[in-house]
Amino acid sequence: MDRKEEKMDAGDQLEMVAKAFVDHYYHLFDTSRAALASLYGHTSMLSFEGEKFIGADDIGRKLTQLPIGQCKHSASTIDCQPSAFAGGIIVFVSGNLQLLGEEHQLKFSQMFQLIPTQQGSFFVQNDIFRLNYG
């Protein structure tokens, strides 16, 4: 295998992991928000509309206490790159958020930094979420 094929394979693998993570994250958010805390660690940080939360417990509390009811996320774009942390992945998502009972969808952007665990999965080290207005 030449270097170009190796890079394509690594890029394809990153994209597969990023898409699987995004699908899993938004499925949990839309169906079982309390379960999201398990995706974060004690050093994780969430910036949600400018507010900062640190650690899985604090982040889980914020996400479960959001003043929104049932919703449905749909990702329009998923971009990913390897992060400087060995085996880490930066994932940037843009998409739409439909709140139950609301006519109009909200546009959002979200960035995740995924860090590999010793068990072979990933946890969210950094998460930045913003609604897109305008």
Side-chain angles (χ1 to χ4, degrees):
M1 188 180 318
D2 66 16
R3 286 205 178 275
K4 187 175 181 180
E5 288 176 323
E6 285 177 19
K7 285 182 181 180
M8 285 181 58
D9 287 345
D12 290 345
Q13 187 174 17
L14 278 180
E15 287 181 19
M16 283 177 33
V17 170
K19 180 168 181 356
F21 168 78
V22 167
D23 290 346
H24 180 65
Y25 182 90
Y26 292 125
H27 173 76
L28 286 180
F29 194 105
D30 296 346
T31 62
S32 180
R33 204 171 304 160
L36 287 173
S38 68
L39 300 180
Y40 297 88
H42 67 281
T43 63
S44 297
M45 178 181 261
L46 166 67
S47 294
F48 189 91
E49 290 292 307
E51 280 186 276
K52 290 186 176 33
F53 304 89
I54 298 175
D57 293 340
D58 199 25
I59 293 168
R61 215 173 0 268
K62 171 60 179 176
L63 295 175
T64 56
Q65 294 175 355
L66 288 173
I68 59 173
Q70 192 173 0
C71 59
K72 174 75 175 128
H73 288 82
S74 60
S76 301
T77 63
I78 302 171
D79 297 300
C80 62
Q81 298 178 354
S83 76
F85 190 93
I89 305 172
I90 301 289
V91 181
F92 181 77
V93 182
S94 66
N96 296 304
L97 174 60
Q98 181 71 53
L99 302 177
L100 186 65
E102 294 290 325
E103 182 179 338
H104 300 289
Q105 293 184 348
L106 302 170
K107 296 199 176 296
F108 75 92
S109 297
Q110 193 161 13
M111 186 282 308
F112 302 96
Q113 181 179 27
L114 307 179
I115 303 297
T117 66
Q118 290 182 337
Q119 295 76 26
S121 61
F122 290 87
F123 77 96
V124 179
Q125 175 62 44
N126 301 92
D127 179 353
I128 301 172
F129 176 89
R130 282 285 183 176
L131 290 171
N132 300 330
Y133 300 103

